Amino acid sequence: AAAMAQVEGLLSVDYEVSGKVQGVFFRKYTQGEAKRLGLVGWVQNTSHGTVRGQIQGPTARVRELQEWLRKTGSPQSRISRAEFSNEKEITALEHEEFQILK
């Protein structure tokens, strides 16, 4: 996996998802999906009813999670908008794992 990551590079992206995304296990499902894809980062509820966080990992995998955040989410969620910002290539992962922050 390390060799693959060197070829395609690592990406870091911040995200914020709006809609019915709190109280629907959105963070838990996001963490599960990120781990399944081998990504690191974090997810957190905000005080204004959105969920935000950061994703880091191989570019193609990050794109998969972005798509998931845009369209799928947790079973009970209703996503109205997913915004991505601060996208940049990184040389090393800045997180050990994918965490749910309180």
Side-chain angles (χ1 to χ4, degrees):
M4 185 187 82
Q6 281 166 358
V7 174
E8 69 165 330
L10 297 171
L11 203 62
S12 177
V13 183
D14 295 348
Y15 62 89
E16 186 164 10
V17 184
S18 311
K20 184 187 169 192
V21 293
Q22 289 192 8
V24 291
F25 300 104
F26 198 91
R27 291 174 303 167
K28 187 174 190 293
Y29 275 88
T30 301
Q31 181 187 47
E33 191 65 14
K35 285 187 167 172
R36 188 182 73 75
L37 291 167
L39 299 170
V40 300
W42 53 274
V43 59
Q44 175 181 54
N45 282 342
T46 69
S47 57
H48 51 273
T50 65
V51 169
R52 69 183 192 105
Q54 187 175 69
I55 318 163
Q56 293 187 346
T59 302
R61 298 289 175 85
V62 169
R63 294 282 178 245
E64 280 188 62
L65 190 60
Q66 284 181 289
E67 193 67 3
W68 185 90
L69 287 166
R70 216 181 259 122
K71 301 218 167 98
T72 310
S74 65
Q76 309 288 302
S77 68
R78 294 285 173 275
I79 299 164
S80 59
R81 193 165 79 242
E83 296 179 89
F84 301 99
S85 58
N86 300 325
E87 183 172 306
K88 59 181 189 279
E89 284 190 19
I90 52 174
T91 51
L93 299 174
E94 296 160 351
H95 307 282
E96 295 277 306
E97 56 183 353
F98 196 94
Q99 291 183 295
I100 294 174
L101 303 181
K102 294 285 177 265

